[in-house]
Amino acid sequence: MVKKKKHKTNAVRLLEQKGISFSISEYAFSEGHTSAKETAKELGLDEASIFKTLVAVGNKTGPIVGVVPGNKELDLKKIAKASGNKKVEMLPMKELEPLTGYIHGGCSPIGMKKKLPTFVAIEAKELVFFHCSAGMRGLQLKINPEEIVKLLNGEFADITI
């Protein structure tokens, strides 16, 4: 009998260390796979329950994290207001891994190299659980959004279009 390898990403390690309840879902990932819509389809879930982790840069705060539903987009003006910035722009892709330790398509809001100000879309507040990256492509966490906000000292905010 072949034992399936358990993936231990920074996000998974941190959640286990803190005793936070979660589950993991794996799906087939390919280089052409670029959206929450494709992830939702692979896992048989509603796109609105798959949340994307996006990293932006504020003119006052520096890097910030937005966690938004797969069927919506990050509103840079709204996250600027929520984070106390006048202007926010997306972090250049080449800076993502050095800053967070994660690559595009596998960026989790949990377990980044540095704790960054994190804003979770208000839509998540009403959910018992949602899915977000577990820290590698093809791996999703199913977790209570309140637990993420508490763990990261984040906040729920109106940040979507």
Side-chain angles (χ1 to χ4, degrees), residues 24-41:
I24 293 180
S25 300
E26 279 188 73
Y27 62 94
F29 182 88
S30 66
E31 286 304 315
H33 183 114
T34 58
S35 73
K37 188 176 198 167
E38 290 165 334
T39 300
K41 187 177 175 188

Side-chain angles (χ1 to χ4, degrees), residues 27-159:
Y27 62 94
F29 182 88
S30 66
E31 286 304 315
H33 183 114
T34 58
S35 73
K37 188 176 198 167
E38 290 165 334
T39 300
K41 187 177 175 188
E42 284 286 330
L43 294 173
L45 299 168
D46 181 355
E47 185 181 0
S49 73
I50 304 283
F51 278 59
K52 306 177 279 193
T53 303
L54 304 168
V55 183
V57 181
N59 67 315
K60 293 181 181 176
T61 61
I64 55 176
V65 177
V67 183
V68 301
N71 62 342
K72 301 218 173 164
E73 297 298 320
L74 178 64
D75 185 318
L76 295 178
K77 287 181 181 173
K78 286 182 179 179
I79 198 168
K81 184 177 178 184
S83 63
N85 287 286
K86 281 212 181 281
K87 185 180 177 200
V88 168
E89 55 189 39
M90 293 306 295
L91 180 79
M93 189 111 42
K94 68 179 189 283
E95 295 177 27
L96 183 65
E97 189 174 6
L99 177 69
T100 66
Y102 294 126
I103 60 172
H104 177 70
C107 187
S108 178
I110 304 163
M112 291 186 177
K113 282 182 176 180
K114 239 179 117 176
K115 210 169 200 179
L116 301 175
T118 302
F119 300 88
V120 177
I122 198 77
E123 293 87 339
K125 194 172 177 105
E126 303 305 313
L127 301 174
V128 175
F129 62 84
F130 70 174
H131 296 81
C132 67
S133 176
M136 68 182 280
R137 293 172 175 169
L139 213 58
Q140 289 281 307
L141 291 172
K142 179 180 175 181
I143 189 167
N144 180 292
E146 294 275 356
E147 292 284 355
I148 287 181
V149 169
K150 193 164 73 176
L151 175 68
L152 301 176
N153 294 319
E155 63 183 80
F156 289 107
D158 177 13
I159 58 171

